[in-house]
Amino acid sequence: MTIAHTPSLPSKFPNMGTTIFTVMSALATEHKAVNLGQGFPDFDCDPALTQHVANAMAEGLNQYPPMTGVAPLREAVSAKIAQLYGRHYDPVSEITVTAGATQAILTAILAIVHPGDEVIVLEPCYDSYVPNIELAGGVVVRVPLSPGTFRPDFDKIAAAISPRTRAILINTPHNPSGMVWREDEMRRLEEILAPTNVLVISDEVYEHMVYAPLEHHSVARFDGLAARSFVVSSFGKTYHVTGWKVGTVAAPASLTAEFRKVHQFNVFTVNTPMQHALARYMADPRPYLDLPAFYQRKRDLFRAGLANTRLRLLPGEGTYFQCVDISGLAVPEKDLGEARFCQWLTTEIGVAAIPLSAFYGNGFDQQVVRFCFAKKDETLQLALQRLARL
Ligand SMILES: Cc1ncc(COP(=O)(O)O)c(C=O)c1O
């Protein structure tokens, strides 16, 4: 008789634990805390959008769509980019529908990074970038954003570029800091990259959350950047449907061709009725054009409340995140380190937040934590009441 055993497996990520977002959300649920940790709305999407899904399903749009995404959605995205950022991407050869921005970024990295290639990330950065690069056999080159302001430091970026650099990942508006790249910063990046073969993966999932007087500067607006970029966006953020996991990638045809070679054996296709629903919903531009005003009001409400606490507000230029400096708090827990402070804040004060250290490879601690304000006004009011105790 043979004894069944599960073969031992060398882990590809021996040091990886559960993400901080999952940990904090579980802790928030356990302690009935107001969850301003993980970035998702606590309100529903427009019922017109779900009605479009129901209609698409009832119409029998339930089988595999084309590998690249349904034509009406690729066409709607192409038209939107042309309208907003002044560049034409061919819906047939330059736009691909993905299973959210997460898959778009992983697929782009797998498509372009060869073992040993260097990829620059600007820290603090979204948590999937580094493991994605490692999975492709790439070497992660970490360049810090300027301490305190989170603005790109171009001397450091230029110094990090080597003959082995394959790509740089940028993110504007930026999670976690809410910083928004300015036009002159995009031009500076364009200049630095001009003499190189470095590609750009531009994570623009918060493109419709930039607050006046600033505007979003997509890489698509700049000839020299657009020619070397994968522009990543996500419907989850824009239409309050983070659970749908539908995103897009726009890139020049030669880059898209390589992207699709991986995409077709990665997910192959993205669910059909959601794609048709999104295409139909996009016929009206108001939901995304009105989004900055919608979130700006929430940001202002939340910032006004926080201004009455000892938390020091950092700028809130874009995204639905607000960072605060905890160093001026009177409570001794402020010195526990960001991660333990966030646990204490969740269990004792009843508000969950995310430590910025979670976005750095070395766990850099600057006494700053991130709140998500994509919440109903009453949720924000309840959180503010609790934070007023600090
Ligand atoms: C900067 C950034 N990139 C990508 C994603 C992932 O987007 P999606 O849910 O479309 O996969 C997120 C989600 O929080 C994000 O904040």
PDB file of all heavy atoms in Angstrom, residues 39 98-105 125-126 128-129 171 173-176 203-206 232-237 241-243 245-247 320-321 359 370, ligand 1:
ATOM      1  N   GLY A  39      -9.057  50.120  -0.287  1.00  0.00           N
ATOM      2  CA  GLY A  39      -9.647  51.113  -1.175  1.00  0.00           C
ATOM      3  C   GLY A  39     -10.818  50.591  -1.985  1.00  0.00           C
ATOM      4  O   GLY A  39     -10.627  50.098  -3.096  1.00  0.00           O
ATOM      5  N   THR A  98      -8.823  43.847 -20.099  1.00  0.00           N
ATOM      6  CA  THR A  98      -8.154  42.937 -19.161  1.00  0.00           C
ATOM      7  C   THR A  98      -9.041  42.668 -17.941  1.00  0.00           C
ATOM      8  O   THR A  98     -10.017  43.380 -17.707  1.00  0.00           O
ATOM      9  CB  THR A  98      -6.840  43.561 -18.658  1.00  0.00           C
ATOM     10  OG1 THR A  98      -7.154  44.796 -17.990  1.00  0.00           O
ATOM     11  CG2 THR A  98      -5.877  43.837 -19.807  1.00  0.00           C
ATOM     12  N   ALA A  99      -8.630  41.672 -17.160  1.00  0.00           N
ATOM     13  CA  ALA A  99      -9.330  41.364 -15.905  1.00  0.00           C
ATOM     14  C   ALA A  99      -8.804  42.312 -14.825  1.00  0.00           C
ATOM     15  O   ALA A  99      -8.055  41.927 -13.931  1.00  0.00           O
ATOM     16  CB  ALA A  99      -9.121  39.911 -15.528  1.00  0.00           C
ATOM     17  N   GLY A 100      -9.164  43.568 -14.952  1.00  0.00           N
ATOM     18  CA  GLY A 100      -8.712  44.589 -14.007  1.00  0.00           C
ATOM     19  C   GLY A 100      -7.302  45.065 -14.329  1.00  0.00           C
ATOM     20  O   GLY A 100      -6.598  44.495 -15.185  1.00  0.00           O
ATOM     21  N   ALA A 101      -6.905  46.124 -13.619  1.00  0.00           N
ATOM     22  CA  ALA A 101      -5.552  46.656 -13.815  1.00  0.00           C
ATOM     23  C   ALA A 101      -4.515  45.670 -13.302  1.00  0.00           C
ATOM     24  O   ALA A 101      -3.398  45.610 -13.821  1.00  0.00           O
ATOM     25  CB  ALA A 101      -5.422  47.989 -13.082  1.00  0.00           C
ATOM     26  N   THR A 102      -4.869  44.881 -12.304  1.00  0.00           N
ATOM     27  CA  THR A 102      -3.917  43.925 -11.730  1.00  0.00           C
ATOM     28  C   THR A 102      -3.403  42.970 -12.801  1.00  0.00           C
ATOM     29  O   THR A 102      -2.196  42.749 -12.934  1.00  0.00           O
ATOM     30  CB  THR A 102      -4.590  43.132 -10.584  1.00  0.00           C
ATOM     31  OG1 THR A 102      -5.213  44.067  -9.705  1.00  0.00           O
ATOM     32  CG2 THR A 102      -3.599  42.301  -9.824  1.00  0.00           C
ATOM     33  N   GLN A 103      -4.332  42.395 -13.563  1.00  0.00           N
ATOM     34  CA  GLN A 103      -3.896  41.476 -14.634  1.00  0.00           C
ATOM     35  C   GLN A 103      -3.178  42.226 -15.747  1.00  0.00           C
ATOM     36  O   GLN A 103      -2.221  41.713 -16.333  1.00  0.00           O
ATOM     37  CB  GLN A 103      -5.096  40.702 -15.200  1.00  0.00           C
ATOM     38  CG  GLN A 103      -4.697  39.681 -16.257  1.00  0.00           C
ATOM     39  CD  GLN A 103      -5.266  39.979 -17.631  1.00  0.00           C
ATOM     40  OE1 GLN A 103      -6.423  40.380 -17.748  1.00  0.00           O
ATOM     41  NE2 GLN A 103      -4.481  39.792 -18.671  1.00  0.00           N
ATOM     42  N   ALA A 104      -3.630  43.447 -16.006  1.00  0.00           N
ATOM     43  CA  ALA A 104      -2.983  44.239 -17.071  1.00  0.00           C
ATOM     44  C   ALA A 104      -1.511  44.462 -16.735  1.00  0.00           C
ATOM     45  O   ALA A 104      -0.634  44.297 -17.594  1.00  0.00           O
ATOM     46  CB  ALA A 104      -3.696  45.581 -17.213  1.00  0.00           C
ATOM     47  N   ILE A 105      -1.239  44.810 -15.492  1.00  0.00           N
ATOM     48  CA  ILE A 105       0.147  45.121 -15.098  1.00  0.00           C
ATOM     49  C   ILE A 105       0.992  43.841 -15.112  1.00  0.00           C
ATOM     50  O   ILE A 105       2.100  43.822 -15.651  1.00  0.00           O
ATOM     51  CB  ILE A 105       0.159  45.813 -13.715  1.00  0.00           C
ATOM     52  CG1 ILE A 105      -0.526  47.185 -13.820  1.00  0.00           C
ATOM     53  CG2 ILE A 105       1.582  45.951 -13.177  1.00  0.00           C
ATOM     54  CD1 ILE A 105      -0.905  47.808 -12.492  1.00  0.00           C
ATOM     55  N   CYS A 125       5.024  52.201  -3.523  1.00  0.00           N
ATOM     56  CA  CYS A 125       4.278  51.786  -4.711  1.00  0.00           C
ATOM     57  C   CYS A 125       3.278  50.676  -4.383  1.00  0.00           C
ATOM     58  O   CYS A 125       3.385  49.990  -3.373  1.00  0.00           O
ATOM     59  CB  CYS A 125       5.224  51.337  -5.817  1.00  0.00           C
ATOM     60  SG  CYS A 125       6.130  49.847  -5.471  1.00  0.00           S
ATOM     61  N   TYR A 126       2.308  50.574  -5.285  1.00  0.00           N
ATOM     62  CA  TYR A 126       1.234  49.577  -5.162  1.00  0.00           C
ATOM     63  C   TYR A 126       1.844  48.180  -4.992  1.00  0.00           C
ATOM     64  O   TYR A 126       2.848  47.859  -5.627  1.00  0.00           O
ATOM     65  CB  TYR A 126       0.350  49.660  -6.411  1.00  0.00           C
ATOM     66  CG  TYR A 126      -0.876  48.805  -6.330  1.00  0.00           C
ATOM     67  CD1 TYR A 126      -1.823  49.006  -5.335  1.00  0.00           C
ATOM     68  CD2 TYR A 126      -1.093  47.788  -7.240  1.00  0.00           C
ATOM     69  CE1 TYR A 126      -2.952  48.217  -5.252  1.00  0.00           C
ATOM     70  CE2 TYR A 126      -2.225  46.991  -7.171  1.00  0.00           C
ATOM     71  CZ  TYR A 126      -3.142  47.211  -6.169  1.00  0.00           C
ATOM     72  OH  TYR A 126      -4.254  46.420  -6.092  1.00  0.00           O
ATOM     73  N   SER A 128       1.393  45.125  -5.863  1.00  0.00           N
ATOM     74  CA  SER A 128       1.562  44.015  -6.817  1.00  0.00           C
ATOM     75  C   SER A 128       2.798  44.184  -7.704  1.00  0.00           C
ATOM     76  O   SER A 128       3.277  43.212  -8.298  1.00  0.00           O
ATOM     77  CB  SER A 128       0.317  43.868  -7.709  1.00  0.00           C
ATOM     78  OG  SER A 128       0.253  44.879  -8.695  1.00  0.00           O
ATOM     79  N   TYR A 129       3.332  45.398  -7.819  1.00  0.00           N
ATOM     80  CA  TYR A 129       4.400  45.635  -8.806  1.00  0.00           C
ATOM     81  C   TYR A 129       5.631  44.743  -8.557  1.00  0.00           C
ATOM     82  O   TYR A 129       6.143  44.104  -9.483  1.00  0.00           O
ATOM     83  CB  TYR A 129       4.880  47.094  -8.779  1.00  0.00           C
ATOM     84  CG  TYR A 129       3.869  48.174  -9.090  1.00  0.00           C
ATOM     85  CD1 TYR A 129       4.185  49.512  -8.847  1.00  0.00           C
ATOM     86  CD2 TYR A 129       2.610  47.898  -9.619  1.00  0.00           C
ATOM     87  CE1 TYR A 129       3.286  50.535  -9.126  1.00  0.00           C
ATOM     88  CE2 TYR A 129       1.703  48.917  -9.889  1.00  0.00           C
ATOM     89  CZ  TYR A 129       2.048  50.235  -9.635  1.00  0.00           C
ATOM     90  OH  TYR A 129       1.166  51.244  -9.897  1.00  0.00           O
ATOM     91  N   ASN A 171       2.848  55.774 -11.603  1.00  0.00           N
ATOM     92  CA  ASN A 171       1.459  55.722 -11.141  1.00  0.00           C
ATOM     93  C   ASN A 171       0.986  57.139 -10.810  1.00  0.00           C
ATOM     94  O   ASN A 171       1.459  57.738  -9.858  1.00  0.00           O
ATOM     95  CB  ASN A 171       1.397  54.814  -9.894  1.00  0.00           C
ATOM     96  CG  ASN A 171       0.045  54.793  -9.194  1.00  0.00           C
ATOM     97  OD1 ASN A 171      -0.019  54.662  -7.970  1.00  0.00           O
ATOM     98  ND2 ASN A 171      -1.014  54.904  -9.929  1.00  0.00           N
ATOM     99  N   PRO A 173      -2.850  59.476 -10.888  1.00  0.00           N
ATOM    100  CA  PRO A 173      -2.664  59.871  -9.495  1.00  0.00           C
ATOM    101  C   PRO A 173      -2.140  58.687  -8.671  1.00  0.00           C
ATOM    102  O   PRO A 173      -2.450  57.535  -8.971  1.00  0.00           O
ATOM    103  CB  PRO A 173      -4.049  60.285  -9.040  1.00  0.00           C
ATOM    104  CG  PRO A 173      -4.801  60.603 -10.294  1.00  0.00           C
ATOM    105  CD  PRO A 173      -4.248  59.718 -11.341  1.00  0.00           C
ATOM    106  N   HIS A 174      -1.390  59.031  -7.642  1.00  0.00           N
ATOM    107  CA  HIS A 174      -0.584  58.029  -6.963  1.00  0.00           C
ATOM    108  C   HIS A 174      -1.244  57.439  -5.714  1.00  0.00           C
ATOM    109  O   HIS A 174      -1.686  58.174  -4.830  1.00  0.00           O
ATOM    110  CB  HIS A 174       0.744  58.698  -6.564  1.00  0.00           C
ATOM    111  CG  HIS A 174       1.699  57.809  -5.849  1.00  0.00           C
ATOM    112  ND1 HIS A 174       2.100  58.045  -4.560  1.00  0.00           N
ATOM    113  CD2 HIS A 174       2.330  56.678  -6.238  1.00  0.00           C
ATOM    114  CE1 HIS A 174       2.957  57.108  -4.190  1.00  0.00           C
ATOM    115  NE2 HIS A 174       3.113  56.267  -5.194  1.00  0.00           N
ATOM    116  N   ASN A 175      -1.283  56.115  -5.684  1.00  0.00           N
ATOM    117  CA  ASN A 175      -1.653  55.377  -4.486  1.00  0.00           C
ATOM    118  C   ASN A 175      -0.347  54.937  -3.828  1.00  0.00           C
ATOM    119  O   ASN A 175       0.467  54.305  -4.501  1.00  0.00           O
ATOM    120  CB  ASN A 175      -2.480  54.143  -4.884  1.00  0.00           C
ATOM    121  CG  ASN A 175      -2.832  53.270  -3.701  1.00  0.00           C
ATOM    122  OD1 ASN A 175      -2.648  53.650  -2.553  1.00  0.00           O
ATOM    123  ND2 ASN A 175      -3.325  52.079  -3.988  1.00  0.00           N
ATOM    124  N   PRO A 176      -0.061  55.263  -2.579  1.00  0.00           N
ATOM    125  CA  PRO A 176      -0.969  55.739  -1.540  1.00  0.00           C
ATOM    126  C   PRO A 176      -1.025  57.253  -1.317  1.00  0.00           C
ATOM    127  O   PRO A 176      -1.895  57.714  -0.580  1.00  0.00           O
ATOM    128  CB  PRO A 176      -0.371  55.094  -0.282  1.00  0.00           C
ATOM    129  CG  PRO A 176       1.105  55.094  -0.542  1.00  0.00           C
ATOM    130  CD  PRO A 176       1.227  54.814  -2.015  1.00  0.00           C
ATOM    131  N   ASP A 203       0.402  53.311 -14.663  1.00  0.00           N
ATOM    132  CA  ASP A 203      -0.790  52.880 -13.929  1.00  0.00           C
ATOM    133  C   ASP A 203      -1.639  54.120 -13.672  1.00  0.00           C
ATOM    134  O   ASP A 203      -1.309  54.948 -12.825  1.00  0.00           O
ATOM    135  CB  ASP A 203      -0.336  52.201 -12.632  1.00  0.00           C
ATOM    136  CG  ASP A 203      -1.498  51.686 -11.794  1.00  0.00           C
ATOM    137  OD1 ASP A 203      -2.643  52.087 -12.041  1.00  0.00           O
ATOM    138  OD2 ASP A 203      -1.230  50.880 -10.877  1.00  0.00           O
ATOM    139  N   GLU A 204      -2.739  54.241 -14.436  1.00  0.00           N
ATOM    140  CA  GLU A 204      -3.575  55.448 -14.363  1.00  0.00           C
ATOM    141  C   GLU A 204      -4.991  55.083 -13.903  1.00  0.00           C
ATOM    142  O   GLU A 204      -5.971  55.663 -14.370  1.00  0.00           O
ATOM    143  CB  GLU A 204      -3.570  56.152 -15.731  1.00  0.00           C
ATOM    144  CG  GLU A 204      -2.148  56.517 -16.171  1.00  0.00           C
ATOM    145  CD  GLU A 204      -2.069  57.313 -17.471  1.00  0.00           C
ATOM    146  OE1 GLU A 204      -3.107  57.786 -17.971  1.00  0.00           O
ATOM    147  OE2 GLU A 204      -0.934  57.447 -17.998  1.00  0.00           O
ATOM    148  N   VAL A 205      -5.084  54.124 -12.976  1.00  0.00           N
ATOM    149  CA  VAL A 205      -6.423  53.661 -12.574  1.00  0.00           C
ATOM    150  C   VAL A 205      -7.246  54.759 -11.898  1.00  0.00           C
ATOM    151  O   VAL A 205      -8.470  54.695 -11.900  1.00  0.00           O
ATOM    152  CB  VAL A 205      -6.381  52.404 -11.672  1.00  0.00           C
ATOM    153  CG1 VAL A 205      -5.733  51.232 -12.375  1.00  0.00           C
ATOM    154  CG2 VAL A 205      -5.716  52.672 -10.341  1.00  0.00           C
ATOM    155  N   TYR A 206      -6.582  55.778 -11.347  1.00  0.00           N
ATOM    156  CA  TYR A 206      -7.331  56.875 -10.703  1.00  0.00           C
ATOM    157  C   TYR A 206      -7.427  58.098 -11.607  1.00  0.00           C
ATOM    158  O   TYR A 206      -7.549  59.226 -11.138  1.00  0.00           O
ATOM    159  CB  TYR A 206      -6.673  57.242  -9.360  1.00  0.00           C
ATOM    160  CG  TYR A 206      -6.648  56.087  -8.390  1.00  0.00           C
ATOM    161  CD1 TYR A 206      -5.477  55.366  -8.154  1.00  0.00           C
ATOM    162  CD2 TYR A 206      -7.808  55.681  -7.737  1.00  0.00           C
ATOM    163  CE1 TYR A 206      -5.468  54.277  -7.290  1.00  0.00           C
ATOM    164  CE2 TYR A 206      -7.805  54.592  -6.866  1.00  0.00           C
ATOM    165  CZ  TYR A 206      -6.635  53.907  -6.656  1.00  0.00           C
ATOM    166  OH  TYR A 206      -6.632  52.824  -5.801  1.00  0.00           O
ATOM    167  N   VAL A 232      -2.478  51.892 -18.459  1.00  0.00           N
ATOM    168  CA  VAL A 232      -3.367  50.960 -17.759  1.00  0.00           C
ATOM    169  C   VAL A 232      -4.485  51.729 -17.066  1.00  0.00           C
ATOM    170  O   VAL A 232      -4.224  52.707 -16.349  1.00  0.00           O
ATOM    171  CB  VAL A 232      -2.568  50.163 -16.700  1.00  0.00           C
ATOM    172  CG1 VAL A 232      -3.492  49.245 -15.903  1.00  0.00           C
ATOM    173  CG2 VAL A 232      -1.441  49.376 -17.369  1.00  0.00           C
ATOM    174  N   SER A 233      -5.728  51.301 -17.277  1.00  0.00           N
ATOM    175  CA  SER A 233      -6.839  51.909 -16.547  1.00  0.00           C
ATOM    176  C   SER A 233      -7.774  50.817 -16.021  1.00  0.00           C
ATOM    177  O   SER A 233      -7.620  49.646 -16.365  1.00  0.00           O
ATOM    178  CB  SER A 233      -7.602  52.891 -17.442  1.00  0.00           C
ATOM    179  OG  SER A 233      -8.445  53.676 -16.632  1.00  0.00           O
ATOM    180  N   SER A 234      -8.725  51.238 -15.163  1.00  0.00           N
ATOM    181  CA  SER A 234      -9.616  50.249 -14.542  1.00  0.00           C
ATOM    182  C   SER A 234     -11.014  50.825 -14.379  1.00  0.00           C
ATOM    183  O   SER A 234     -11.174  51.928 -13.857  1.00  0.00           O
ATOM    184  CB  SER A 234      -9.066  49.862 -13.167  1.00  0.00           C
ATOM    185  OG  SER A 234     -10.016  49.097 -12.461  1.00  0.00           O
ATOM    186  N   PHE A 235     -12.028  50.080 -14.816  1.00  0.00           N
ATOM    187  CA  PHE A 235     -13.399  50.534 -14.621  1.00  0.00           C
ATOM    188  C   PHE A 235     -13.822  50.430 -13.163  1.00  0.00           C
ATOM    189  O   PHE A 235     -14.756  51.093 -12.729  1.00  0.00           O
ATOM    190  CB  PHE A 235     -14.358  49.707 -15.484  1.00  0.00           C
ATOM    191  CG  PHE A 235     -14.141  49.921 -16.956  1.00  0.00           C
ATOM    192  CD1 PHE A 235     -13.468  48.982 -17.710  1.00  0.00           C
ATOM    193  CD2 PHE A 235     -14.587  51.075 -17.567  1.00  0.00           C
ATOM    194  CE1 PHE A 235     -13.252  49.180 -19.068  1.00  0.00           C
ATOM    195  CE2 PHE A 235     -14.373  51.291 -18.921  1.00  0.00           C
ATOM    196  CZ  PHE A 235     -13.698  50.341 -19.675  1.00  0.00           C
ATOM    197  N   GLY A 236     -13.139  49.580 -12.409  1.00  0.00           N
ATOM    198  CA  GLY A 236     -13.503  49.363 -11.000  1.00  0.00           C
ATOM    199  C   GLY A 236     -13.510  50.657 -10.213  1.00  0.00           C
ATOM    200  O   GLY A 236     -14.415  50.913  -9.416  1.00  0.00           O
ATOM    201  N   LYS A 237     -12.483  51.486 -10.434  1.00  0.00           N
ATOM    202  CA  LYS A 237     -12.359  52.741  -9.690  1.00  0.00           C
ATOM    203  C   LYS A 237     -13.350  53.771 -10.200  1.00  0.00           C
ATOM    204  O   LYS A 237     -13.982  54.479  -9.434  1.00  0.00           O
ATOM    205  CB  LYS A 237     -10.947  53.323  -9.854  1.00  0.00           C
ATOM    206  CG  LYS A 237      -9.830  52.316  -9.717  1.00  0.00           C
ATOM    207  CD  LYS A 237      -9.666  51.894  -8.291  1.00  0.00           C
ATOM    208  CE  LYS A 237      -8.631  50.784  -8.201  1.00  0.00           C
ATOM    209  NZ  LYS A 237      -8.549  50.230  -6.862  1.00  0.00           N
ATOM    210  N   VAL A 241     -17.181  49.858  -9.183  1.00  0.00           N
ATOM    211  CA  VAL A 241     -17.408  48.411  -9.336  1.00  0.00           C
ATOM    212  C   VAL A 241     -16.063  47.679  -9.198  1.00  0.00           C
ATOM    213  O   VAL A 241     -15.649  46.941 -10.106  1.00  0.00           O
ATOM    214  CB  VAL A 241     -18.107  48.066 -10.683  1.00  0.00           C
ATOM    215  CG1 VAL A 241     -19.560  48.482 -10.657  1.00  0.00           C
ATOM    216  CG2 VAL A 241     -17.392  48.714 -11.879  1.00  0.00           C
ATOM    217  N   THR A 242     -15.409  47.843  -8.052  1.00  0.00           N
ATOM    218  CA  THR A 242     -14.080  47.241  -7.903  1.00  0.00           C
ATOM    219  C   THR A 242     -14.141  45.713  -8.001  1.00  0.00           C
ATOM    220  O   THR A 242     -13.163  45.080  -8.376  1.00  0.00           O
ATOM    221  CB  THR A 242     -13.428  47.645  -6.563  1.00  0.00           C
ATOM    222  OG1 THR A 242     -14.280  47.231  -5.487  1.00  0.00           O
ATOM    223  CG2 THR A 242     -13.181  49.142  -6.473  1.00  0.00           C
ATOM    224  N   GLY A 243     -15.305  45.134  -7.674  1.00  0.00           N
ATOM    225  CA  GLY A 243     -15.424  43.674  -7.701  1.00  0.00           C
ATOM    226  C   GLY A 243     -15.583  43.097  -9.104  1.00  0.00           C
ATOM    227  O   GLY A 243     -15.542  41.883  -9.276  1.00  0.00           O
ATOM    228  N   LYS A 245     -13.596  43.722 -11.701  1.00  0.00           N
ATOM    229  CA  LYS A 245     -12.277  43.446 -12.266  1.00  0.00           C
ATOM    230  C   LYS A 245     -12.276  43.505 -13.794  1.00  0.00           C
ATOM    231  O   LYS A 245     -12.056  42.505 -14.489  1.00  0.00           O
ATOM    232  CB  LYS A 245     -11.754  42.073 -11.783  1.00  0.00           C
ATOM    233  CG  LYS A 245     -11.614  41.950 -10.280  1.00  0.00           C
ATOM    234  CD  LYS A 245     -10.601  42.878  -9.662  1.00  0.00           C
ATOM    235  CE  LYS A 245      -9.176  42.492  -9.944  1.00  0.00           C
ATOM    236  NZ  LYS A 245      -8.237  43.352  -9.160  1.00  0.00           N
ATOM    237  N   VAL A 246     -12.554  44.676 -14.309  1.00  0.00           N
ATOM    238  CA  VAL A 246     -12.409  44.908 -15.751  1.00  0.00           C
ATOM    239  C   VAL A 246     -11.552  46.159 -15.934  1.00  0.00           C
ATOM    240  O   VAL A 246     -11.822  47.197 -15.322  1.00  0.00           O
ATOM    241  CB  VAL A 246     -13.762  45.104 -16.472  1.00  0.00           C
ATOM    242  CG1 VAL A 246     -13.536  45.200 -17.994  1.00  0.00           C
ATOM    243  CG2 VAL A 246     -14.723  43.948 -16.174  1.00  0.00           C
ATOM    244  N   GLY A 247     -10.517  46.044 -16.734  1.00  0.00           N
ATOM    245  CA  GLY A 247      -9.631  47.166 -17.010  1.00  0.00           C
ATOM    246  C   GLY A 247      -9.242  47.183 -18.477  1.00  0.00           C
ATOM    247  O   GLY A 247      -9.739  46.372 -19.276  1.00  0.00           O
ATOM    248  N   TYR A 320      -8.783  58.430  -4.151  1.00  0.00           N
ATOM    249  CA  TYR A 320      -9.716  58.544  -3.022  1.00  0.00           C
ATOM    250  C   TYR A 320      -9.025  58.219  -1.705  1.00  0.00           C
ATOM    251  O   TYR A 320      -9.638  57.685  -0.794  1.00  0.00           O
ATOM    252  CB  TYR A 320     -11.009  57.760  -3.245  1.00  0.00           C
ATOM    253  CG  TYR A 320     -10.926  56.320  -3.750  1.00  0.00           C
ATOM    254  CD1 TYR A 320      -9.996  55.407  -3.274  1.00  0.00           C
ATOM    255  CD2 TYR A 320     -11.873  55.862  -4.680  1.00  0.00           C
ATOM    256  CE1 TYR A 320      -9.976  54.093  -3.714  1.00  0.00           C
ATOM    257  CE2 TYR A 320     -11.864  54.550  -5.134  1.00  0.00           C
ATOM    258  CZ  TYR A 320     -10.912  53.681  -4.646  1.00  0.00           C
ATOM    259  OH  TYR A 320     -10.910  52.379  -5.079  1.00  0.00           O
ATOM    260  N   PHE A 321      -7.739  58.568  -1.649  1.00  0.00           N
ATOM    261  CA  PHE A 321      -6.970  58.357  -0.427  1.00  0.00           C
ATOM    262  C   PHE A 321      -6.526  59.682   0.185  1.00  0.00           C
ATOM    263  O   PHE A 321      -6.211  60.631  -0.543  1.00  0.00           O
ATOM    264  CB  PHE A 321      -5.730  57.502  -0.707  1.00  0.00           C
ATOM    265  CG  PHE A 321      -6.069  56.148  -1.264  1.00  0.00           C
ATOM    266  CD1 PHE A 321      -5.675  55.784  -2.541  1.00  0.00           C
ATOM    267  CD2 PHE A 321      -6.804  55.235  -0.515  1.00  0.00           C
ATOM    268  CE1 PHE A 321      -6.001  54.546  -3.068  1.00  0.00           C
ATOM    269  CE2 PHE A 321      -7.148  53.992  -1.031  1.00  0.00           C
ATOM    270  CZ  PHE A 321      -6.742  53.649  -2.314  1.00  0.00           C
ATOM    271  N   PHE A 359       3.947  49.953   1.669  1.00  0.00           N
ATOM    272  CA  PHE A 359       4.222  50.237   0.255  1.00  0.00           C
ATOM    273  C   PHE A 359       5.720  50.369  -0.034  1.00  0.00           C
ATOM    274  O   PHE A 359       6.107  50.826  -1.098  1.00  0.00           O
ATOM    275  CB  PHE A 359       3.509  51.526  -0.164  1.00  0.00           C
ATOM    276  CG  PHE A 359       2.001  51.458  -0.053  1.00  0.00           C
ATOM    277  CD1 PHE A 359       1.360  51.683   1.155  1.00  0.00           C
ATOM    278  CD2 PHE A 359       1.217  51.158  -1.167  1.00  0.00           C
ATOM    279  CE1 PHE A 359      -0.022  51.630   1.257  1.00  0.00           C
ATOM    280  CE2 PHE A 359      -0.166  51.106  -1.072  1.00  0.00           C
ATOM    281  CZ  PHE A 359      -0.790  51.329   0.145  1.00  0.00           C
ATOM    282  N   ARG A 370      -2.651  55.956   5.734  1.00  0.00           N
ATOM    283  CA  ARG A 370      -3.559  56.282   4.633  1.00  0.00           C
ATOM    284  C   ARG A 370      -4.992  55.907   4.984  1.00  0.00           C
ATOM    285  O   ARG A 370      -5.253  54.784   5.425  1.00  0.00           O
ATOM    286  CB  ARG A 370      -3.115  55.489   3.396  1.00  0.00           C
ATOM    287  CG  ARG A 370      -3.838  55.845   2.114  1.00  0.00           C
ATOM    288  CD  ARG A 370      -3.703  54.749   1.065  1.00  0.00           C
ATOM    289  NE  ARG A 370      -4.622  53.647   1.314  1.00  0.00           N
ATOM    290  CZ  ARG A 370      -4.767  52.585   0.526  1.00  0.00           C
ATOM    291  NH1 ARG A 370      -4.046  52.463  -0.564  1.00  0.00           N
ATOM    292  NH2 ARG A 370      -5.634  51.619   0.825  1.00  0.00           N
TER     293      ARG A 370
HETATM  294  C1  LIG B   1      -2.473  51.913  -8.027  1.00  0.00           C
HETATM  295  C2  LIG B   1      -3.360  50.748  -8.300  1.00  0.00           C
HETATM  296  N1  LIG B   1      -3.123  49.985  -9.378  1.00  0.00           N
HETATM  297  C3  LIG B   1      -3.888  48.918  -9.667  1.00  0.00           C
HETATM  298  C4  LIG B   1      -4.946  48.552  -8.865  1.00  0.00           C
HETATM  299  C5  LIG B   1      -5.750  47.335  -9.221  1.00  0.00           C
HETATM  300  O1  LIG B   1      -6.888  47.642  -9.966  1.00  0.00           O
HETATM  301  P1  LIG B   1      -7.956  46.512 -10.365  1.00  0.00           P
HETATM  302  O2  LIG B   1      -8.878  46.358  -9.203  1.00  0.00           O
HETATM  303  O3  LIG B   1      -8.615  47.039 -11.593  1.00  0.00           O
HETATM  304  O4  LIG B   1      -7.194  45.256 -10.623  1.00  0.00           O
HETATM  305  C6  LIG B   1      -5.224  49.311  -7.735  1.00  0.00           C
HETATM  306  C7  LIG B   1      -6.331  48.917  -6.832  1.00  0.00           C
HETATM  307  O5  LIG B   1      -6.413  49.325  -5.703  1.00  0.00           O
HETATM  308  C8  LIG B   1      -4.414  50.438  -7.444  1.00  0.00           C
HETATM  309  O6  LIG B   1      -4.633  51.190  -6.356  1.00  0.00           O
END
